[in-house]
Coordinates of all heavy atoms in Angstrom, one line a residue:
M300 N -34.6 81.1 -21.8 CA -34.8 81.6 -23.2 C -33.6 82.5 -23.6 O -33.3 83.4 -22.8 CB -36.1 82.4 -23.3 CG -36.4 83.0 -24.6 SD -37.8 84.1 -24.6 CE -39.0 83.1 -25.4
P301 N -33.1 82.2 -24.7 CA -31.9 83.0 -25.1 C -32.3 84.5 -25.4 O -33.5 84.8 -25.6 CB -31.4 82.4 -26.4 CG -32.6 81.5 -26.9 CD -33.4 81.2 -25.7
D302 N -31.3 85.4 -25.4 CA -31.6 86.8 -25.6 C -32.2 86.9 -27.0 O -31.6 86.5 -28.0 CB -30.4 87.6 -25.5 CG -29.9 87.8 -24.1 OD1 -30.8 87.7 -23.2 OD2 -28.8 88.1 -23.8
Q303 N -33.3 87.5 -27.1 CA -34.0 87.8 -28.4 C -34.6 89.2 -28.4 O -35.0 89.7 -27.3 CB -35.1 86.8 -28.7 CG -34.5 85.4 -28.8 CD -35.6 84.4 -29.2 OE1 -36.7 84.7 -29.6 NE2 -35.3 83.1 -29.2
P304 N -34.6 89.8 -29.5 CA -35.2 91.2 -29.6 C -36.7 91.1 -29.1 O -37.4 90.2 -29.4 CB -35.1 91.6 -31.0 CG -34.4 90.5 -31.8 CD -34.2 89.4 -30.8
V305 N -37.1 92.2 -28.4 CA -38.4 92.3 -27.9 C -39.0 93.6 -28.5 O -38.4 94.7 -28.4 CB -38.5 92.4 -26.4 CG1 -39.9 92.6 -25.9 CG2 -38.0 91.1 -25.8
L306 N -40.2 93.5 -29.1 CA -40.8 94.7 -29.7 C -42.1 94.9 -29.0 O -42.9 93.9 -28.8 CB -41.1 94.5 -31.2 CG -39.9 94.5 -32.1 CD1 -40.4 94.3 -33.5 CD2 -39.2 95.9 -32.1
F307 N -42.5 96.1 -28.7 CA -43.8 96.4 -28.2 C -44.5 97.2 -29.3 O -44.0 98.2 -29.8 CB -43.8 97.3 -26.9 CG -45.1 97.8 -26.5 CD1 -45.9 97.0 -25.7 CD2 -45.6 99.0 -26.9 CE1 -47.2 97.4 -25.4 CE2 -46.9 99.4 -26.6 CZ -47.7 98.6 -25.8
A308 N -45.7 96.7 -29.7 CA -46.5 97.3 -30.7 C -47.9 97.4 -30.2 O -48.4 96.4 -29.6 CB -46.4 96.5 -32.0
D309 N -48.6 98.5 -30.5 CA -50.0 98.6 -30.2 C -50.8 98.9 -31.4 O -51.9 99.4 -31.3 CB -50.3 99.6 -29.0 CG -49.7 101.0 -29.3 OD1 -49.2 101.2 -30.4 OD2 -49.7 101.8 -28.4
G310 N -50.2 98.6 -32.6 CA -51.0 98.8 -33.8 C -50.2 98.3 -35.0 O -49.1 97.9 -34.9
I311 N -50.9 98.4 -36.1 CA -50.3 98.0 -37.4 C -50.4 99.2 -38.4 O -51.5 99.8 -38.5 CB -51.1 96.8 -38.0 CG1 -50.9 95.6 -37.2 CG2 -50.6 96.5 -39.5 CD1 -51.7 94.4 -37.6
L312 N -49.3 99.5 -39.0 CA -49.2 100.7 -39.9 C -49.7 100.2 -41.3 O -50.4 100.9 -42.0 CB -47.8 101.2 -40.0 CG -47.4 102.2 -38.9 CD1 -45.9 102.6 -39.1 CD2 -48.3 103.4 -38.8
E313 N -49.1 99.0 -41.7 CA -49.4 98.6 -43.0 C -49.1 97.1 -43.1 O -48.4 96.5 -42.2 CB -48.6 99.3 -44.1 CG -47.1 99.1 -43.8 CD -46.2 99.9 -44.8 OE1 -46.7 100.7 -45.6 OE2 -45.0 99.9 -44.6
A314 N -49.7 96.4 -44.1 CA -49.4 95.0 -44.3 C -49.4 94.7 -45.8 O -50.1 95.4 -46.6 CB -50.4 94.1 -43.6
S315 N -48.4 93.9 -46.2 CA -48.4 93.5 -47.6 C -47.8 92.1 -47.8 O -47.3 91.5 -46.8 CB -47.4 94.5 -48.4 OG -46.1 94.4 -47.9
V316 N -48.0 91.6 -49.0 CA -47.4 90.3 -49.3 C -46.5 90.4 -50.5 O -47.0 90.9 -51.6 CB -48.5 89.2 -49.6 CG1 -47.9 87.9 -50.0 CG2 -49.4 89.0 -48.3
N317 N -45.3 90.1 -50.4 CA -44.4 90.1 -51.5 C -43.5 88.9 -51.6 O -42.9 88.5 -50.5 CB -43.4 91.3 -51.4 CG -44.2 92.6 -51.5 OD1 -44.9 92.9 -52.4 ND2 -44.0 93.5 -50.5
Y318 N -43.5 88.2 -52.7 CA -42.6 87.0 -52.9 C -42.9 86.0 -51.9 O -42.0 85.4 -51.3 CB -41.2 87.4 -53.0 CG -40.8 88.4 -54.0 CD1 -40.6 89.7 -53.7 CD2 -40.8 88.0 -55.4 CE1 -40.3 90.7 -54.7 CE2 -40.5 88.9 -56.4 CZ -40.3 90.2 -56.1 OH -40.0 91.2 -57.1
G319 N -44.2 85.8 -51.5 CA -44.5 84.7 -50.6 C -44.3 85.0 -49.1 O -44.3 84.2 -48.2
V320 N -44.0 86.3 -48.8 CA -43.7 86.7 -47.4 C -44.7 87.8 -47.0 O -44.8 88.8 -47.7 CB -42.3 87.2 -47.2 CG1 -42.0 87.6 -45.8 CG2 -41.3 86.1 -47.6
T321 N -45.4 87.6 -45.9 CA -46.2 88.7 -45.4 C -45.4 89.6 -44.6 O -44.6 89.2 -43.7 CB -47.3 88.1 -44.4 OG1 -48.0 87.1 -45.2 CG2 -48.3 89.1 -43.9
R322 N -45.5 90.9 -44.8 CA -44.8 91.9 -44.1 C -45.8 92.8 -43.4 O -46.6 93.4 -44.0 CB -43.9 92.7 -45.0 CG -42.7 91.9 -45.6 CD -42.1 92.7 -46.8 NE -40.9 92.0 -47.3 CZ -40.9 90.9 -48.1 NH1 -42.0 90.4 -48.5 NH2 -39.7 90.4 -48.4
I323 N -45.7 92.9 -42.1 CA -46.6 93.6 -41.3 C -45.8 94.7 -40.6 O -45.0 94.4 -39.7 CB -47.4 92.8 -40.2 CG1 -48.1 91.6 -41.0 CG2 -48.3 93.6 -39.4 CD1 -48.7 90.6 -40.1
G324 N -46.1 96.0 -40.9 CA -45.4 97.1 -40.3 C -46.1 97.4 -39.0 O -47.3 97.7 -38.9
L325 N -45.3 97.3 -37.9 CA -45.8 97.5 -36.5 C -45.7 98.9 -36.1 O -44.8 99.6 -36.5 CB -45.1 96.6 -35.5 CG -45.2 95.1 -35.9 CD1 -44.3 94.3 -34.9 CD2 -46.6 94.6 -35.9
A326 N -46.6 99.4 -35.2 CA -46.5 100.8 -34.8 C -46.7 100.9 -33.2 O -47.3 100.0 -32.6 CB -47.6 101.5 -35.4
Q327 N -46.2 101.9 -32.7 CA -46.4 102.3 -31.3 C -47.1 103.7 -31.4 O -46.8 104.5 -32.3 CB -45.1 102.4 -30.5 CG -44.4 101.2 -30.3 CD -43.1 101.4 -29.6 OE1 -42.7 102.5 -29.4 NE2 -42.4 100.3 -29.3
T328 N -47.9 104.0 -30.4 CA -48.5 105.3 -30.3 C -47.4 106.3 -29.8 O -46.9 106.1 -28.7 CB -49.7 105.3 -29.4 OG1 -50.7 104.4 -29.9 CG2 -50.4 106.7 -29.3
G329 N -47.2 107.3 -30.5 CA -46.2 108.3 -30.2 C -46.7 109.3 -29.1 O -47.9 109.3 -28.8
A330 N -45.8 110.2 -28.7 CA -46.2 111.2 -27.7 C -47.3 112.1 -28.1 O -48.1 112.6 -27.3 CB -45.0 112.0 -27.3
D331 N -47.4 112.3 -29.4 CA -48.5 113.1 -30.0 C -49.7 112.4 -30.3 O -50.7 112.9 -30.9 CB -48.0 113.8 -31.3 CG -47.5 112.9 -32.3 OD1 -47.6 111.6 -32.1 OD2 -47.1 113.4 -33.4
G332 N -49.8 111.1 -29.9 CA -51.0 110.3 -30.2 C -51.0 109.6 -31.6 O -52.0 108.9 -31.9
K333 N -50.0 109.9 -32.4 CA -50.0 109.3 -33.7 C -49.1 108.1 -33.8 O -48.2 108.0 -33.0 CB -49.5 110.4 -34.7 CG -50.4 111.6 -34.9 CD -49.9 112.6 -35.8 CE -50.8 113.8 -35.9 NZ -50.3 114.8 -36.8
P334 N -49.4 107.1 -34.7 CA -48.6 105.9 -34.8 C -47.2 106.2 -35.3 O -47.1 107.0 -36.2 CB -49.4 105.0 -35.7 CG -50.4 105.9 -36.4 CD -50.6 107.1 -35.6
V335 N -46.3 105.5 -34.7 CA -44.9 105.6 -35.1 C -44.3 104.2 -35.4 O -44.6 103.3 -34.6 CB -44.0 106.3 -34.0 CG1 -42.5 106.4 -34.4 CG2 -44.5 107.7 -33.7
A336 N -43.7 104.0 -36.5 CA -43.1 102.7 -36.9 C -42.2 102.2 -35.8 O -41.4 103.0 -35.3 CB -42.4 102.8 -38.2
C337 N -42.3 100.9 -35.4 CA -41.4 100.4 -34.4 C -40.8 99.1 -34.8 O -40.0 98.5 -34.1 CB -42.2 100.2 -33.1 SG -43.5 99.0 -33.1
G338 N -41.2 98.5 -36.0 CA -40.6 97.3 -36.4 C -41.4 96.6 -37.5 O -42.5 97.2 -37.9
Q339 N -40.9 95.5 -38.0 CA -41.7 94.8 -39.0 C -41.7 93.3 -38.7 O -40.7 92.7 -38.3 CB -41.0 95.0 -40.4 CG -41.7 94.4 -41.5 CD -41.0 94.7 -42.9 OE1 -39.9 94.3 -43.0 NE2 -41.7 95.4 -43.8
L340 N -42.9 92.7 -38.8 CA -43.1 91.3 -38.6 C -43.2 90.7 -39.9 O -44.0 91.1 -40.8 CB -44.3 91.1 -37.8 CG -44.7 89.6 -37.5 CD1 -43.6 88.9 -36.6 CD2 -46.0 89.6 -36.7
M341 N -42.3 89.6 -40.2 CA -42.3 89.0 -41.5 C -42.7 87.5 -41.3 O -42.0 86.8 -40.5 CB -41.0 89.1 -42.2 CG -40.6 90.6 -42.4 SD -39.0 90.8 -43.1 CE -39.0 90.0 -44.6
I342 N -43.7 87.0 -42.0 CA -44.2 85.7 -41.8 C -44.4 85.1 -43.2 O -45.0 85.7 -44.0 CB -45.5 85.6 -41.1 CG1 -45.4 86.3 -39.7 CG2 -46.0 84.2 -40.9 CD1 -46.8 86.6 -39.1
P343 N -43.8 83.9 -43.4 CA -44.1 83.2 -44.7 C -45.6 83.1 -44.9 O -46.3 82.7 -44.0 CB -43.4 81.9 -44.6 CG -42.4 82.1 -43.6 CD -42.9 83.1 -42.6
V344 N -46.1 83.3 -46.1 CA -47.6 83.2 -46.3 C -48.1 81.8 -46.0 O -49.2 81.7 -45.4 CB -47.9 83.6 -47.8 CG1 -49.3 83.2 -48.2 CG2 -47.6 85.0 -48.1
V345 N -47.3 80.8 -46.2 CA -47.8 79.5 -45.9 C -48.0 79.2 -44.4 O -48.7 78.4 -44.0 CB -46.9 78.4 -46.6 CG1 -46.9 78.4 -48.1 CG2 -45.5 78.4 -46.0
Q346 N -47.3 80.0 -43.6 CA -47.4 79.9 -42.2 C -48.4 80.9 -41.6 O -48.7 80.8 -40.4 CB -46.0 80.1 -41.5 CG -45.0 79.1 -41.8 CD -45.4 77.7 -41.4 OE1 -46.0 77.6 -40.3 NE2 -45.2 76.7 -42.2
L347 N -48.9 81.8 -42.4 CA -49.8 82.8 -41.9 C -51.1 82.3 -41.3 O -51.5 82.7 -40.2 CB -50.1 83.9 -43.0 CG -50.8 85.1 -42.5 CD1 -50.1 85.9 -41.4 CD2 -51.0 86.0 -43.7
P348 N -51.8 81.3 -41.9 CA -53.0 80.7 -41.2 C -52.7 80.1 -39.9 O -53.5 80.4 -38.9 CB -53.4 79.7 -42.2 CG -52.9 80.1 -43.5 CD -51.5 80.7 -43.2
A349 N -51.6 79.4 -39.7 CA -51.3 78.8 -38.4 C -51.0 79.9 -37.4 O -51.4 79.8 -36.2 CB -50.1 77.9 -38.5
F350 N -50.3 81.0 -37.8 CA -50.0 82.1 -36.9 C -51.3 82.8 -36.5 O -51.5 83.1 -35.3 CB -49.1 83.1 -37.7 CG -48.6 84.2 -36.8 CD1 -47.4 84.0 -36.0 CD2 -49.2 85.4 -36.8 CE1 -47.0 85.1 -35.2 CE2 -48.7 86.5 -36.0 CZ -47.6 86.3 -35.2
A351 N -52.1 83.1 -37.5 CA -53.4 83.7 -37.1 C -54.3 82.9 -36.2 O -54.9 83.4 -35.3 CB -54.2 84.1 -38.4
N352 N -54.3 81.6 -36.5 CA -55.1 80.7 -35.6 C -54.5 80.7 -34.2 O -55.3 80.6 -33.2 CB -55.1 79.3 -36.2 CG -56.1 79.1 -37.4 OD1 -57.0 79.9 -37.5 ND2 -55.8 78.2 -38.2
G353 N -53.2 80.8 -34.1 CA -52.6 80.8 -32.7 C -53.1 82.1 -32.0 O -53.4 82.1 -30.8
L354 N -53.1 83.2 -32.7 CA -53.6 84.5 -32.1 C -55.0 84.4 -31.7 O -55.4 84.9 -30.6 CB -53.3 85.6 -33.0 CG -51.9 86.1 -33.2 CD1 -51.8 87.2 -34.3 CD2 -51.2 86.5 -31.9
L355 N -55.8 83.8 -32.6 CA -57.3 83.6 -32.3 C -57.5 82.7 -31.0 O -58.3 83.0 -30.2 CB -58.0 83.0 -33.5 CG -58.2 84.0 -34.6 CD1 -58.8 83.3 -35.8 CD2 -59.1 85.2 -34.2
T356 N -56.7 81.7 -30.9 CA -56.8 80.8 -29.7 C -56.4 81.6 -28.5 O -57.1 81.5 -27.5 CB -55.8 79.6 -29.9 OG1 -56.3 78.9 -31.1 CG2 -55.9 78.7 -28.7
L357 N -55.4 82.4 -28.6 CA -55.0 83.2 -27.4 C -56.1 84.2 -27.0 O -56.4 84.4 -25.9 CB -53.7 84.0 -27.7 CG -53.2 85.0 -26.7 CD1 -52.9 84.3 -25.4 CD2 -52.0 85.8 -27.2
L358 N -56.7 84.9 -28.0 CA -57.8 85.8 -27.8 C -59.0 85.1 -27.1 O -59.6 85.6 -26.2 CB -58.3 86.5 -29.0 CG -57.4 87.5 -29.6 CD1 -57.8 88.0 -31.0 CD2 -57.3 88.7 -28.6
K359 N -59.3 83.9 -27.5 CA -60.4 83.1 -26.9 C -60.1 82.8 -25.5 O -61.0 82.8 -24.6 CB -60.7 81.8 -27.7 CG -61.3 82.1 -29.1 CD -61.5 80.8 -29.9 CE -62.1 81.1 -31.3 NZ -62.2 79.9 -32.1
Q360 N -58.8 82.4 -25.2 CA -58.4 82.1 -23.8 C -58.5 83.3 -22.9 O -59.0 83.2 -21.8 CB -57.0 81.5 -23.8 CG -56.8 80.2 -24.4 CD -55.4 79.7 -24.5 OE1 -54.5 80.5 -24.2 NE2 -55.2 78.5 -24.9
I361 N -58.1 84.5 -23.5 CA -58.2 85.7 -22.7 C -59.6 86.1 -22.4 O -60.0 86.4 -21.3 CB -57.5 86.9 -23.4 CG1 -55.9 86.6 -23.4 CG2 -57.8 88.2 -22.8 CD1 -55.2 87.5 -24.3
D362 N -60.5 85.9 -23.4 CA -61.9 86.2 -23.3 C -62.5 85.3 -22.2 O -63.3 85.8 -21.4 CB -62.6 86.0 -24.6 CG -64.1 86.5 -24.6 OD1 -64.3 87.6 -24.1 OD2 -64.9 85.7 -25.1
A363 N -62.2 84.0 -22.3 CA -62.7 83.1 -21.3 C -62.3 83.5 -19.9 O -63.1 83.4 -18.9 CB -62.3 81.7 -21.6
K364 N -61.0 83.9 -19.7 CA -60.5 84.3 -18.4 C -61.2 85.5 -17.9 O -61.5 85.7 -16.7 CB -59.0 84.5 -18.4 CG -58.2 83.2 -18.6 CD -58.2 82.4 -17.4 CE -57.3 81.2 -17.6 NZ -57.2 80.3 -16.5
V365 N -61.4 86.5 -18.8 CA -62.1 87.7 -18.4 C -63.5 87.5 -18.0 O -64.0 88.0 -16.9 CB -62.1 88.8 -19.6 CG1 -63.0 89.9 -19.3 CG2 -60.6 89.3 -19.8
K366 N -64.2 86.6 -18.7 CA -65.6 86.3 -18.4 C -65.7 85.5 -17.1 O -66.6 85.8 -16.2 CB -66.3 85.4 -19.5 CG -66.6 86.2 -20.7 CD -67.2 85.4 -21.8 CE -67.5 86.2 -23.0 NZ -68.1 85.4 -24.1
Q367 N -64.7 84.6 -16.8 CA -64.7 83.9 -15.6 C -64.4 84.9 -14.4 O -65.1 84.8 -13.4 CB -63.5 82.9 -15.7 CG -63.4 82.0 -14.4 CD -62.2 81.0 -14.5 OE1 -61.3 81.2 -15.4 NE2 -62.2 80.0 -13.7
A368 N -63.5 85.8 -14.6 CA -63.3 86.8 -13.5 C -64.5 87.7 -13.3 O -64.8 88.0 -12.1 CB -62.1 87.7 -13.9
Q369 N -65.2 88.1 -14.3 CA -66.4 88.9 -14.2 C -67.5 88.1 -13.4 O -68.2 88.7 -12.6 CB -66.9 89.3 -15.5 CG -66.1 90.4 -16.2 CD -66.5 90.7 -17.6 OE1 -67.2 89.9 -18.3 NE2 -66.0 91.9 -18.1
Q370 N -67.7 86.8 -13.8 CA -68.7 86.0 -13.1 C -68.3 85.8 -11.6 O -69.2 85.8 -10.8 CB -68.8 84.7 -13.8 CG -69.5 84.8 -15.2 CD -69.5 83.5 -15.9 OE1 -68.8 82.5 -15.5 NE2 -70.2 83.4 -17.1
S371 N -67.0 85.6 -11.4 CA -66.6 85.4 -10.0 C -66.8 86.7 -9.2 O -67.3 86.6 -8.1 CB -65.1 85.1 -10.0 OG -64.6 85.0 -8.7
N372 N -66.5 87.9 -9.8 CA -66.7 89.1 -9.1 C -68.2 89.4 -8.9 O -68.6 89.9 -7.9 CB -66.1 90.3 -9.9 CG -64.6 90.3 -9.8 OD1 -64.0 89.7 -8.9 ND2 -64.0 91.1 -10.7
A373 N -69.0 89.0 -9.9 CA -70.5 89.2 -9.7 C -71.1 88.3 -8.7 O -71.9 88.7 -7.9 CB -71.2 89.0 -11.1
A374 N -70.5 87.1 -8.6 CA -71.0 86.1 -7.6 C -70.7 86.6 -6.2 O -71.5 86.4 -5.3 CB -70.5 84.7 -7.9
T375 N -69.5 87.2 -6.0 CA -69.1 87.6 -4.7 C -69.4 89.1 -4.5 O -69.2 89.6 -3.4 CB -67.6 87.4 -4.5 OG1 -66.9 88.1 -5.5 CG2 -67.3 85.9 -4.5
D376 N -70.0 89.7 -5.5 CA -70.3 91.1 -5.5 C -69.1 92.0 -5.1 O -69.3 93.0 -4.4 CB -71.5 91.4 -4.5 CG -72.3 92.7 -4.9 OD1 -72.3 93.0 -6.1 OD2 -72.8 93.3 -4.0
V377 N -68.0 91.6 -5.6 CA -66.7 92.4 -5.4 C -66.5 93.3 -6.6 O -66.5 92.8 -7.7 CB -65.5 91.5 -5.1 CG1 -64.2 92.3 -5.0 CG2 -65.8 90.6 -3.9
K378 N -66.3 94.6 -6.3 CA -66.0 95.5 -7.4 C -64.5 95.8 -7.3 O -64.0 96.2 -6.3 CB -66.8 96.8 -7.2 CG -68.3 96.6 -7.2 CD -68.8 96.3 -8.5 CE -70.3 96.3 -8.4 NZ -70.9 95.6 -9.4
P379 N -63.8 95.6 -8.5 CA -62.3 96.0 -8.5 C -62.2 97.5 -8.3 O -63.0 98.3 -8.8 CB -61.8 95.5 -9.8 CG -63.1 95.4 -10.7 CD -64.2 95.1 -9.7
E380 N -61.1 97.9 -7.7 CA -60.8 99.3 -7.5 C -60.4 99.9 -8.9 O -59.7 99.3 -9.7 CB -59.6 99.5 -6.6 CG -59.9 99.0 -5.1 CD -58.7 99.2 -4.2 OE1 -57.9 100.1 -4.5 OE2 -58.6 98.5 -3.2
P381 N -61.0 101.1 -9.2 CA -60.7 101.7 -10.5 C -59.3 101.9 -10.8 O -58.9 101.8 -11.9 CB -61.5 103.0 -10.4 CG -62.2 103.0 -9.1 CD -61.8 101.9 -8.3
E382 N -58.5 102.2 -9.8 CA -57.1 102.5 -10.1 C -56.2 101.3 -10.0 O -55.0 101.3 -10.2 CB -56.5 103.6 -9.1 CG -56.5 103.2 -7.7 CD -57.8 103.4 -6.9 OE1 -58.7 104.1 -7.5 OE2 -57.9 103.0 -5.8
A383 N -56.8 100.1 -9.8 CA -56.0 98.8 -9.8 C -55.5 98.5 -11.1 O -56.1 98.7 -12.2 CB -56.9 97.7 -9.3
V384 N -54.3 98.0 -11.2 CA -53.6 97.6 -12.4 C -54.2 96.2 -12.8 O -54.4 95.3 -12.0 CB -52.1 97.4 -12.2 CG1 -51.4 96.9 -13.5 CG2 -51.5 98.8 -11.8
P385 N -54.6 96.1 -14.1 CA -55.2 94.8 -14.5 C -54.2 93.7 -14.4 O -53.0 93.9 -14.5 CB -55.5 95.1 -16.0 CG -55.3 96.5 -16.3 CD -54.5 97.1 -15.1
G386 N -54.7 92.5 -14.1 CA -53.9 91.4 -13.9 C -53.4 90.9 -15.2 O -53.8 91.3 -16.3
S387 N -52.4 90.0 -15.2 CA -51.8 89.4 -16.4 C -52.1 88.0 -16.4 O -52.3 87.3 -15.4 CB -50.3 89.7 -16.5 OG -49.7 89.1 -15.4
F388 N -52.2 87.4 -17.6 CA -52.4 86.0 -17.8 C -51.2 85.4 -18.4 O -50.5 85.9 -19.2 CB -53.6 85.7 -18.8 CG -54.9 86.4 -18.3 CD1 -55.4 87.5 -18.9 CD2 -55.6 85.8 -17.2 CE1 -56.6 88.0 -18.5 CE2 -56.8 86.4 -16.8 CZ -57.3 87.5 -17.4
R389 N -50.9 84.2 -18.0 CA -49.8 83.4 -18.6 C -50.4 82.1 -19.0 O -51.1 81.4 -18.3 CB -48.7 83.1 -17.5 CG -48.0 84.4 -17.2 CD -46.6 84.0 -16.6 NE -45.9 85.2 -16.3 CZ -44.9 85.7 -17.1 NH1 -44.6 85.0 -18.2 NH2 -44.3 86.7 -16.8
F390 N -50.2 81.8 -20.3 CA -50.7 80.5 -20.9 C -49.5 79.7 -21.4 O -48.5 80.3 -21.8 CB -51.6 80.8 -22.0 CG -52.8 81.6 -21.7 CD1 -53.0 82.9 -22.0 CD2 -53.9 81.0 -20.9 CE1 -54.1 83.7 -21.6 CE2 -55.0 81.8 -20.6 CZ -55.1 83.1 -20.9
S391 N -49.6 78.5 -21.3 CA -48.6 77.6 -21.9 C -49.2 76.5 -22.7 O -50.4 76.2 -22.5 CB -47.8 77.0 -20.8 OG -48.6 76.2 -19.9
G392 N -48.5 76.0 -23.6 CA -49.0 74.9 -24.4 C -49.6 75.3 -25.7 O -49.8 76.4 -26.1

């Protein structure tokens, strides 16, 4: 993958639509616990439904993996350690 900017955001400050472009102001939680602007995501309005559907599909996949892991842990009666770092999921396609 070529070098591309990477943004970490854990919230949305604002969203608007102007001239057919959705502008989503992204935020990070600052040291004082308040949101701080960290970038802007711009998506053409005509592409917004496909983008949102992609995010919903990702959420459904994550939910399914979490439920599968919970059922697996319940079946084997294994409790994860509280200080353990949560696992990560990689999806393709």
